[in-house]
PDB file of all heavy atoms in Angstrom:
ATOM      1  N   CYS A   1     -37.267 -64.901  42.020  1.00  0.00           N
ATOM      2  CA  CYS A   1     -37.688 -66.173  42.670  1.00  0.00           C
ATOM      3  C   CYS A   1     -37.098 -67.374  41.856  1.00  0.00           C
ATOM      4  O   CYS A   1     -36.590 -68.297  42.515  1.00  0.00           O
ATOM      5  CB  CYS A   1     -39.176 -66.251  42.780  1.00  0.00           C
ATOM      6  SG  CYS A   1     -39.909 -65.129  43.896  1.00  0.00           S
ATOM      7  N   ALA A   2     -37.200 -67.322  40.555  1.00  0.00           N
ATOM      8  CA  ALA A   2     -36.670 -68.375  39.777  1.00  0.00           C
ATOM      9  C   ALA A   2     -35.113 -68.550  39.937  1.00  0.00           C
ATOM     10  O   ALA A   2     -34.626 -69.605  40.090  1.00  0.00           O
ATOM     11  CB  ALA A   2     -37.032 -68.184  38.307  1.00  0.00           C
ATOM     12  N   TYR A   3     -34.444 -67.404  39.818  1.00  0.00           N
ATOM     13  CA  TYR A   3     -32.984 -67.453  40.024  1.00  0.00           C
ATOM     14  C   TYR A   3     -32.585 -67.988  41.376  1.00  0.00           C
ATOM     15  O   TYR A   3     -31.603 -68.750  41.508  1.00  0.00           O
ATOM     16  CB  TYR A   3     -32.359 -66.007  39.807  1.00  0.00           C
ATOM     17  CG  TYR A   3     -32.430 -65.549  38.387  1.00  0.00           C
ATOM     18  CD1 TYR A   3     -32.503 -64.209  38.044  1.00  0.00           C
ATOM     19  CD2 TYR A   3     -32.538 -66.456  37.275  1.00  0.00           C
ATOM     20  CE1 TYR A   3     -32.535 -63.759  36.747  1.00  0.00           C
ATOM     21  CE2 TYR A   3     -32.573 -66.031  35.970  1.00  0.00           C
ATOM     22  CZ  TYR A   3     -32.551 -64.659  35.697  1.00  0.00           C
ATOM     23  OH  TYR A   3     -32.588 -64.291  34.444  1.00  0.00           O
ATOM     24  N   ILE A   4     -33.283 -67.549  42.457  1.00  0.00           N
ATOM     25  CA  ILE A   4     -32.911 -67.968  43.767  1.00  0.00           C
ATOM     26  C   ILE A   4     -33.209 -69.465  43.928  1.00  0.00           C
ATOM     27  O   ILE A   4     -32.471 -70.222  44.517  1.00  0.00           O
ATOM     28  CB  ILE A   4     -33.732 -67.178  44.833  1.00  0.00           C
ATOM     29  CG1 ILE A   4     -33.222 -65.712  44.825  1.00  0.00           C
ATOM     30  CG2 ILE A   4     -33.539 -67.744  46.241  1.00  0.00           C
ATOM     31  CD1 ILE A   4     -34.096 -64.760  45.609  1.00  0.00           C
ATOM     32  N   TYR A   5     -34.351 -69.898  43.339  1.00  0.00           N
ATOM     33  CA  TYR A   5     -34.689 -71.290  43.366  1.00  0.00           C
ATOM     34  C   TYR A   5     -33.654 -72.170  42.696  1.00  0.00           C
ATOM     35  O   TYR A   5     -33.398 -73.263  43.107  1.00  0.00           O
ATOM     36  CB  TYR A   5     -36.065 -71.520  42.763  1.00  0.00           C
ATOM     37  CG  TYR A   5     -36.398 -72.980  42.505  1.00  0.00           C
ATOM     38  CD1 TYR A   5     -36.681 -73.828  43.558  1.00  0.00           C
ATOM     39  CD2 TYR A   5     -36.474 -73.530  41.199  1.00  0.00           C
ATOM     40  CE1 TYR A   5     -36.945 -75.189  43.386  1.00  0.00           C
ATOM     41  CE2 TYR A   5     -36.699 -74.886  40.956  1.00  0.00           C
ATOM     42  CZ  TYR A   5     -36.904 -75.675  42.049  1.00  0.00           C
ATOM     43  OH  TYR A   5     -37.203 -77.013  41.844  1.00  0.00           O
ATOM     44  N   LEU A   6     -33.008 -71.594  41.603  1.00  0.00           N
ATOM     45  CA  LEU A   6     -32.028 -72.400  40.913  1.00  0.00           C
ATOM     46  C   LEU A   6     -30.713 -72.410  41.657  1.00  0.00           C
ATOM     47  O   LEU A   6     -29.745 -73.044  41.252  1.00  0.00           O
ATOM     48  CB  LEU A   6     -31.796 -71.721  39.556  1.00  0.00           C
ATOM     49  CG  LEU A   6     -32.973 -71.868  38.498  1.00  0.00           C
ATOM     50  CD1 LEU A   6     -32.722 -71.063  37.311  1.00  0.00           C
ATOM     51  CD2 LEU A   6     -33.174 -73.322  38.190  1.00  0.00           C
ATOM     52  N   GLY A   7     -30.617 -71.741  42.841  1.00  0.00           N
ATOM     53  CA  GLY A   7     -29.436 -71.784  43.637  1.00  0.00           C
ATOM     54  C   GLY A   7     -28.377 -70.740  43.310  1.00  0.00           C
ATOM     55  O   GLY A   7     -27.227 -70.861  43.732  1.00  0.00           O
ATOM     56  N   MET A   8     -28.736 -69.744  42.513  1.00  0.00           N
ATOM     57  CA  MET A   8     -27.784 -68.680  42.189  1.00  0.00           C
ATOM     58  C   MET A   8     -27.482 -67.827  43.425  1.00  0.00           C
ATOM     59  O   MET A   8     -28.434 -67.456  44.138  1.00  0.00           O
ATOM     60  CB  MET A   8     -28.246 -67.875  41.016  1.00  0.00           C
ATOM     61  CG  MET A   8     -28.332 -68.601  39.699  1.00  0.00           C
ATOM     62  SD  MET A   8     -28.797 -67.498  38.356  1.00  0.00           S
ATOM     63  CE  MET A   8     -28.906 -68.671  36.985  1.00  0.00           C
ATOM     64  N   ASP A   9     -26.282 -67.409  43.704  1.00  0.00           N
ATOM     65  CA  ASP A   9     -25.961 -66.540  44.782  1.00  0.00           C
ATOM     66  C   ASP A   9     -26.071 -65.094  44.365  1.00  0.00           C
ATOM     67  O   ASP A   9     -26.429 -64.790  43.162  1.00  0.00           O
ATOM     68  CB  ASP A   9     -24.583 -66.848  45.328  1.00  0.00           C
ATOM     69  CG  ASP A   9     -23.472 -66.603  44.291  1.00  0.00           C
ATOM     70  OD1 ASP A   9     -23.685 -65.831  43.319  1.00  0.00           O
ATOM     71  OD2 ASP A   9     -22.472 -67.256  44.455  1.00  0.00           O
ATOM     72  N   THR A  10     -25.793 -64.257  45.330  1.00  0.00           N
ATOM     73  CA  THR A  10     -26.057 -62.809  45.115  1.00  0.00           C
ATOM     74  C   THR A  10     -25.222 -62.274  43.965  1.00  0.00           C
ATOM     75  O   THR A  10     -25.716 -61.515  43.113  1.00  0.00           O
ATOM     76  CB  THR A  10     -25.700 -62.000  46.390  1.00  0.00           C
ATOM     77  OG1 THR A  10     -26.589 -62.454  47.375  1.00  0.00           O
ATOM     78  CG2 THR A  10     -25.920 -60.530  46.181  1.00  0.00           C
ATOM     79  N   LYS A  11     -23.944 -62.627  43.822  1.00  0.00           N
ATOM     80  CA  LYS A  11     -23.072 -62.154  42.777  1.00  0.00           C
ATOM     81  C   LYS A  11     -23.527 -62.612  41.434  1.00  0.00           C
ATOM     82  O   LYS A  11     -23.513 -61.880  40.436  1.00  0.00           O
ATOM     83  CB  LYS A  11     -21.593 -62.507  43.051  1.00  0.00           C
ATOM     84  CG  LYS A  11     -20.974 -61.823  44.199  1.00  0.00           C
ATOM     85  CD  LYS A  11     -19.472 -62.201  44.328  1.00  0.00           C
ATOM     86  CE  LYS A  11     -18.815 -61.447  45.469  1.00  0.00           C
ATOM     87  NZ  LYS A  11     -17.422 -61.825  45.653  1.00  0.00           N
ATOM     88  N   GLN A  12     -23.959 -63.893  41.333  1.00  0.00           N
ATOM     89  CA  GLN A  12     -24.371 -64.442  40.079  1.00  0.00           C
ATOM     90  C   GLN A  12     -25.576 -63.652  39.511  1.00  0.00           C
ATOM     91  O   GLN A  12     -25.655 -63.313  38.407  1.00  0.00           O
ATOM     92  CB  GLN A  12     -24.666 -65.894  40.176  1.00  0.00           C
ATOM     93  CG  GLN A  12     -23.402 -66.782  40.327  1.00  0.00           C
ATOM     94  CD  GLN A  12     -23.769 -68.196  40.645  1.00  0.00           C
ATOM     95  OE1 GLN A  12     -24.657 -68.492  41.431  1.00  0.00           O
ATOM     96  NE2 GLN A  12     -23.097 -69.134  40.008  1.00  0.00           N
ATOM     97  N   ILE A  13     -26.569 -63.428  40.452  1.00  0.00           N
ATOM     98  CA  ILE A  13     -27.812 -62.746  40.082  1.00  0.00           C
ATOM     99  C   ILE A  13     -27.494 -61.309  39.644  1.00  0.00           C
ATOM    100  O   ILE A  13     -27.958 -60.787  38.598  1.00  0.00           O
ATOM    101  CB  ILE A  13     -28.808 -62.717  41.182  1.00  0.00           C
ATOM    102  CG1 ILE A  13     -29.262 -64.178  41.448  1.00  0.00           C
ATOM    103  CG2 ILE A  13     -30.079 -61.900  40.833  1.00  0.00           C
ATOM    104  CD1 ILE A  13     -30.151 -64.322  42.704  1.00  0.00           C
ATOM    105  N   ALA A  14     -26.543 -60.695  40.433  1.00  0.00           N
ATOM    106  CA  ALA A  14     -26.258 -59.236  40.049  1.00  0.00           C
ATOM    107  C   ALA A  14     -25.518 -59.243  38.723  1.00  0.00           C
ATOM    108  O   ALA A  14     -25.860 -58.318  37.864  1.00  0.00           O
ATOM    109  CB  ALA A  14     -25.232 -58.706  41.141  1.00  0.00           C
ATOM    110  N   ASN A  15     -24.635 -60.081  38.422  1.00  0.00           N
ATOM    111  CA  ASN A  15     -23.941 -60.145  37.118  1.00  0.00           C
ATOM    112  C   ASN A  15     -24.915 -60.409  35.991  1.00  0.00           C
ATOM    113  O   ASN A  15     -24.823 -59.803  34.882  1.00  0.00           O
ATOM    114  CB  ASN A  15     -22.863 -61.193  37.091  1.00  0.00           C
ATOM    115  CG  ASN A  15     -21.695 -60.780  37.929  1.00  0.00           C
ATOM    116  OD1 ASN A  15     -21.415 -59.608  38.155  1.00  0.00           O
ATOM    117  ND2 ASN A  15     -20.892 -61.759  38.497  1.00  0.00           N
ATOM    118  N   LEU A  16     -25.832 -61.282  36.200  1.00  0.00           N
ATOM    119  CA  LEU A  16     -26.790 -61.676  35.163  1.00  0.00           C
ATOM    120  C   LEU A  16     -27.738 -60.512  34.846  1.00  0.00           C
ATOM    121  O   LEU A  16     -28.069 -60.336  33.634  1.00  0.00           O
ATOM    122  CB  LEU A  16     -27.657 -62.909  35.630  1.00  0.00           C
ATOM    123  CG  LEU A  16     -28.487 -63.579  34.527  1.00  0.00           C
ATOM    124  CD1 LEU A  16     -27.689 -64.046  33.336  1.00  0.00           C
ATOM    125  CD2 LEU A  16     -29.292 -64.753  35.147  1.00  0.00           C
ATOM    126  N   LEU A  17     -28.128 -59.758  35.815  1.00  0.00           N
ATOM    127  CA  LEU A  17     -29.166 -58.718  35.614  1.00  0.00           C
ATOM    128  C   LEU A  17     -28.449 -57.345  35.467  1.00  0.00           C
ATOM    129  O   LEU A  17     -29.112 -56.315  35.357  1.00  0.00           O
ATOM    130  CB  LEU A  17     -30.099 -58.633  36.796  1.00  0.00           C
ATOM    131  CG  LEU A  17     -30.950 -59.872  37.002  1.00  0.00           C
ATOM    132  CD1 LEU A  17     -31.907 -59.726  38.131  1.00  0.00           C
ATOM    133  CD2 LEU A  17     -31.803 -60.170  35.718  1.00  0.00           C
ATOM    134  N   ASN A  18     -27.060 -57.299  35.547  1.00  0.00           N
ATOM    135  CA  ASN A  18     -26.289 -56.083  35.407  1.00  0.00           C
ATOM    136  C   ASN A  18     -26.697 -55.057  36.469  1.00  0.00           C
ATOM    137  O   ASN A  18     -26.949 -53.923  36.183  1.00  0.00           O
ATOM    138  CB  ASN A  18     -26.463 -55.488  33.984  1.00  0.00           C
ATOM    139  CG  ASN A  18     -25.667 -56.280  32.976  1.00  0.00           C
ATOM    140  OD1 ASN A  18     -24.588 -56.814  33.284  1.00  0.00           O
ATOM    141  ND2 ASN A  18     -26.162 -56.423  31.800  1.00  0.00           N
ATOM    142  N   VAL A  19     -26.841 -55.536  37.691  1.00  0.00           N
ATOM    143  CA  VAL A  19     -27.171 -54.648  38.834  1.00  0.00           C
ATOM    144  C   VAL A  19     -26.141 -54.802  39.931  1.00  0.00           C
ATOM    145  O   VAL A  19     -25.368 -55.738  39.904  1.00  0.00           O
ATOM    146  CB  VAL A  19     -28.586 -54.877  39.398  1.00  0.00           C
ATOM    147  CG1 VAL A  19     -29.673 -54.659  38.313  1.00  0.00           C
ATOM    148  CG2 VAL A  19     -28.709 -56.331  39.909  1.00  0.00           C
ATOM    149  N   GLU A  20     -26.140 -53.956  40.874  1.00  0.00           N
ATOM    150  CA  GLU A  20     -25.232 -54.026  42.029  1.00  0.00           C
ATOM    151  C   GLU A  20     -25.645 -55.182  42.985  1.00  0.00           C
ATOM    152  O   GLU A  20     -26.842 -55.402  43.105  1.00  0.00           O
ATOM    153  CB  GLU A  20     -25.186 -52.708  42.826  1.00  0.00           C
ATOM    154  CG  GLU A  20     -24.658 -51.552  42.007  1.00  0.00           C
ATOM    155  CD  GLU A  20     -23.144 -51.785  41.763  1.00  0.00           C
ATOM    156  OE1 GLU A  20     -22.522 -52.482  42.537  1.00  0.00           O
ATOM    157  OE2 GLU A  20     -22.634 -51.173  40.725  1.00  0.00           O
ATOM    158  N   PRO A  21     -24.744 -55.852  43.589  1.00  0.00           N
ATOM    159  CA  PRO A  21     -25.085 -56.864  44.621  1.00  0.00           C
ATOM    160  C   PRO A  21     -25.941 -56.334  45.731  1.00  0.00           C
ATOM    161  O   PRO A  21     -26.784 -56.951  46.264  1.00  0.00           O
ATOM    162  CB  PRO A  21     -23.696 -57.312  45.115  1.00  0.00           C
ATOM    163  CG  PRO A  21     -22.774 -57.076  44.046  1.00  0.00           C
ATOM    164  CD  PRO A  21     -23.218 -55.856  43.376  1.00  0.00           C
ATOM    165  N   LYS A  22     -25.713 -55.100  46.044  1.00  0.00           N
ATOM    166  CA  LYS A  22     -26.545 -54.440  47.076  1.00  0.00           C
ATOM    167  C   LYS A  22     -28.001 -54.413  46.659  1.00  0.00           C
ATOM    168  O   LYS A  22     -28.935 -54.681  47.460  1.00  0.00           O
ATOM    169  CB  LYS A  22     -26.037 -52.988  47.273  1.00  0.00           C
ATOM    170  CG  LYS A  22     -26.855 -52.268  48.401  1.00  0.00           C
ATOM    171  CD  LYS A  22     -26.239 -50.869  48.594  1.00  0.00           C
ATOM    172  CE  LYS A  22     -27.100 -50.087  49.674  1.00  0.00           C
ATOM    173  NZ  LYS A  22     -26.493 -48.758  49.924  1.00  0.00           N
ATOM    174  N   SER A  23     -28.298 -54.153  45.413  1.00  0.00           N
ATOM    175  CA  SER A  23     -29.651 -54.130  44.845  1.00  0.00           C
ATOM    176  C   SER A  23     -30.276 -55.545  44.973  1.00  0.00           C
ATOM    177  O   SER A  23     -31.405 -55.703  45.319  1.00  0.00           O
ATOM    178  CB  SER A  23     -29.597 -53.667  43.435  1.00  0.00           C
ATOM    179  OG  SER A  23     -30.955 -53.726  42.857  1.00  0.00           O
ATOM    180  N   VAL A  24     -29.482 -56.575  44.708  1.00  0.00           N
ATOM    181  CA  VAL A  24     -30.044 -57.900  44.808  1.00  0.00           C
ATOM    182  C   VAL A  24     -30.338 -58.236  46.290  1.00  0.00           C
ATOM    183  O   VAL A  24     -31.390 -58.836  46.560  1.00  0.00           O
ATOM    184  CB  VAL A  24     -28.941 -58.921  44.317  1.00  0.00           C
ATOM    185  CG1 VAL A  24     -29.463 -60.331  44.483  1.00  0.00           C
ATOM    186  CG2 VAL A  24     -28.702 -58.752  42.808  1.00  0.00           C
ATOM    187  N   ARG A  25     -29.457 -57.863  47.221  1.00  0.00           N
ATOM    188  CA  ARG A  25     -29.732 -58.100  48.565  1.00  0.00           C
ATOM    189  C   ARG A  25     -30.991 -57.365  49.011  1.00  0.00           C
ATOM    190  O   ARG A  25     -31.774 -57.960  49.841  1.00  0.00           O
ATOM    191  CB  ARG A  25     -28.541 -57.703  49.454  1.00  0.00           C
ATOM    192  CG  ARG A  25     -27.338 -58.645  49.338  1.00  0.00           C
ATOM    193  CD  ARG A  25     -26.309 -58.405  50.437  1.00  0.00           C
ATOM    194  NE  ARG A  25     -25.607 -57.154  50.220  1.00  0.00           N
ATOM    195  CZ  ARG A  25     -24.493 -57.009  49.530  1.00  0.00           C
ATOM    196  NH1 ARG A  25     -23.947 -58.066  48.979  1.00  0.00           N
ATOM    197  NH2 ARG A  25     -23.907 -55.871  49.364  1.00  0.00           N
ATOM    198  N   MET A  26     -31.148 -56.140  48.634  1.00  0.00           N
ATOM    199  CA  MET A  26     -32.409 -55.411  49.012  1.00  0.00           C
ATOM    200  C   MET A  26     -33.611 -56.132  48.412  1.00  0.00           C
ATOM    201  O   MET A  26     -34.652 -56.167  49.056  1.00  0.00           O
ATOM    202  CB  MET A  26     -32.295 -53.973  48.449  1.00  0.00           C
ATOM    203  CG  MET A  26     -31.198 -53.124  49.182  1.00  0.00           C
ATOM    204  SD  MET A  26     -31.526 -53.049  50.975  1.00  0.00           S
ATOM    205  CE  MET A  26     -33.162 -52.174  50.980  1.00  0.00           C
ATOM    206  N   THR A  27     -33.541 -56.596  47.180  1.00  0.00           N
ATOM    207  CA  THR A  27     -34.689 -57.245  46.583  1.00  0.00           C
ATOM    208  C   THR A  27     -34.954 -58.528  47.346  1.00  0.00           C
ATOM    209  O   THR A  27     -36.084 -58.863  47.649  1.00  0.00           O
ATOM    210  CB  THR A  27     -34.342 -57.651  45.112  1.00  0.00           C
ATOM    211  OG1 THR A  27     -34.052 -56.435  44.425  1.00  0.00           O
ATOM    212  CG2 THR A  27     -35.549 -58.358  44.519  1.00  0.00           C
ATOM    213  N   LYS A  28     -33.920 -59.253  47.790  1.00  0.00           N
ATOM    214  CA  LYS A  28     -34.197 -60.504  48.672  1.00  0.00           C
ATOM    215  C   LYS A  28     -34.894 -60.096  49.903  1.00  0.00           C
ATOM    216  O   LYS A  28     -35.789 -60.791  50.336  1.00  0.00           O
ATOM    217  CB  LYS A  28     -32.849 -61.171  48.944  1.00  0.00           C
ATOM    218  CG  LYS A  28     -32.214 -61.930  47.774  1.00  0.00           C
ATOM    219  CD  LYS A  28     -30.937 -62.648  48.241  1.00  0.00           C
ATOM    220  CE  LYS A  28     -30.377 -63.435  47.039  1.00  0.00           C
ATOM    221  NZ  LYS A  28     -29.172 -64.156  47.519  1.00  0.00           N
ATOM    222  N   TYR A  29     -34.428 -59.047  50.536  1.00  0.00           N
ATOM    223  CA  TYR A  29     -35.028 -58.564  51.790  1.00  0.00           C
ATOM    224  C   TYR A  29     -36.519 -58.203  51.527  1.00  0.00           C
ATOM    225  O   TYR A  29     -37.419 -58.572  52.274  1.00  0.00           O
ATOM    226  CB  TYR A  29     -34.302 -57.351  52.300  1.00  0.00           C
ATOM    227  CG  TYR A  29     -34.891 -56.732  53.567  1.00  0.00           C
ATOM    228  CD1 TYR A  29     -34.695 -57.350  54.828  1.00  0.00           C
ATOM    229  CD2 TYR A  29     -35.625 -55.620  53.479  1.00  0.00           C
ATOM    230  CE1 TYR A  29     -35.229 -56.774  55.927  1.00  0.00           C
ATOM    231  CE2 TYR A  29     -36.206 -54.993  54.615  1.00  0.00           C
ATOM    232  CZ  TYR A  29     -36.005 -55.591  55.882  1.00  0.00           C
ATOM    233  OH  TYR A  29     -36.534 -55.048  56.955  1.00  0.00           O
ATOM    234  N   ARG A  30     -36.738 -57.562  50.392  1.00  0.00           N
ATOM    235  CA  ARG A  30     -38.160 -57.172  50.038  1.00  0.00           C
ATOM    236  C   ARG A  30     -39.008 -58.409  49.790  1.00  0.00           C
ATOM    237  O   ARG A  30     -40.192 -58.518  50.174  1.00  0.00           O
ATOM    238  CB  ARG A  30     -38.169 -56.304  48.819  1.00  0.00           C
ATOM    239  CG  ARG A  30     -39.564 -55.885  48.377  1.00  0.00           C
ATOM    240  CD  ARG A  30     -39.415 -54.736  47.260  1.00  0.00           C
ATOM    241  NE  ARG A  30     -38.551 -55.092  46.197  1.00  0.00           N
ATOM    242  CZ  ARG A  30     -38.884 -55.934  45.234  1.00  0.00           C
ATOM    243  NH1 ARG A  30     -40.134 -56.458  45.147  1.00  0.00           N
ATOM    244  NH2 ARG A  30     -37.977 -56.194  44.290  1.00  0.00           N
ATOM    245  N   LEU A  31     -38.421 -59.416  49.091  1.00  0.00           N
ATOM    246  CA  LEU A  31     -39.194 -60.674  48.876  1.00  0.00           C
ATOM    247  C   LEU A  31     -39.560 -61.448  50.155  1.00  0.00           C
ATOM    248  O   LEU A  31     -40.666 -61.933  50.307  1.00  0.00           O
ATOM    249  CB  LEU A  31     -38.349 -61.607  47.999  1.00  0.00           C
ATOM    250  CG  LEU A  31     -38.329 -61.235  46.521  1.00  0.00           C
ATOM    251  CD1 LEU A  31     -37.360 -62.110  45.780  1.00  0.00           C
ATOM    252  CD2 LEU A  31     -39.688 -61.342  45.846  1.00  0.00           C
ATOM    253  N   LYS A  32     -38.613 -61.420  51.139  1.00  0.00           N
ATOM    254  CA  LYS A  32     -38.967 -61.994  52.448  1.00  0.00           C
ATOM    255  C   LYS A  32     -40.164 -61.261  53.058  1.00  0.00           C
ATOM    256  O   LYS A  32     -40.983 -61.948  53.657  1.00  0.00           O
ATOM    257  CB  LYS A  32     -37.747 -61.923  53.344  1.00  0.00           C
ATOM    258  CG  LYS A  32     -36.576 -62.870  53.039  1.00  0.00           C
ATOM    259  CD  LYS A  32     -35.506 -62.867  54.111  1.00  0.00           C
ATOM    260  CE  LYS A  32     -34.383 -63.891  53.783  1.00  0.00           C
ATOM    261  NZ  LYS A  32     -33.396 -63.893  54.807  1.00  0.00           N
ATOM    262  N   LYS A  33     -40.174 -59.935  52.964  1.00  0.00           N
ATOM    263  CA  LYS A  33     -41.354 -59.311  53.504  1.00  0.00           C
ATOM    264  C   LYS A  33     -42.599 -59.685  52.794  1.00  0.00           C
ATOM    265  O   LYS A  33     -43.687 -59.882  53.402  1.00  0.00           O
ATOM    266  CB  LYS A  33     -41.110 -57.775  53.378  1.00  0.00           C
ATOM    267  CG  LYS A  33     -40.011 -57.232  54.221  1.00  0.00           C
ATOM    268  CD  LYS A  33     -40.254 -57.405  55.660  1.00  0.00           C
ATOM    269  CE  LYS A  33     -39.163 -56.801  56.587  1.00  0.00           C
ATOM    270  NZ  LYS A  33     -39.417 -57.047  58.018  1.00  0.00           N
ATOM    271  N   LYS A  34     -42.538 -59.833  51.404  1.00  0.00           N
ATOM    272  CA  LYS A  34     -43.742 -60.206  50.670  1.00  0.00           C
ATOM    273  C   LYS A  34     -44.237 -61.572  50.997  1.00  0.00           C
ATOM    274  O   LYS A  34     -45.389 -61.892  50.964  1.00  0.00           O
ATOM    275  CB  LYS A  34     -43.465 -60.057  49.175  1.00  0.00           C
ATOM    276  CG  LYS A  34     -43.348 -58.669  48.690  1.00  0.00           C
ATOM    277  CD  LYS A  34     -43.426 -58.537  47.155  1.00  0.00           C
ATOM    278  CE  LYS A  34     -43.379 -57.120  46.690  1.00  0.00           C
ATOM    279  NZ  LYS A  34     -43.605 -57.029  45.230  1.00  0.00           N
ATOM    280  N   PHE A  35     -43.361 -62.472  51.400  1.00  0.00           N
ATOM    281  CA  PHE A  35     -43.721 -63.798  51.770  1.00  0.00           C
ATOM    282  C   PHE A  35     -43.931 -63.919  53.257  1.00  0.00           C
ATOM    283  O   PHE A  35     -44.298 -65.029  53.726  1.00  0.00           O
ATOM    284  CB  PHE A  35     -42.669 -64.801  51.351  1.00  0.00           C
ATOM    285  CG  PHE A  35     -42.634 -65.077  49.798  1.00  0.00           C
ATOM    286  CD1 PHE A  35     -41.671 -64.515  49.059  1.00  0.00           C
ATOM    287  CD2 PHE A  35     -43.697 -65.834  49.265  1.00  0.00           C
ATOM    288  CE1 PHE A  35     -41.658 -64.787  47.690  1.00  0.00           C
ATOM    289  CE2 PHE A  35     -43.652 -66.040  47.898  1.00  0.00           C
ATOM    290  CZ  PHE A  35     -42.704 -65.547  47.120  1.00  0.00           C
ATOM    291  N   GLY A  36     -43.711 -62.856  54.035  1.00  0.00           N
ATOM    292  CA  GLY A  36     -43.913 -62.927  55.486  1.00  0.00           C
ATOM    293  C   GLY A  36     -42.881 -63.884  56.175  1.00  0.00           C
ATOM    294  O   GLY A  36     -43.291 -64.498  57.144  1.00  0.00           O
TER     295      GLY A  36
END
């Protein structure tokens, strides 16, 4: 949430956390569900 609020895109978050962009997109999708 903090990284998204700071305006980081999917590639920046993936690079920072050393994960695949696909994992970041899935996490974003899961967060949308958690916030309804």
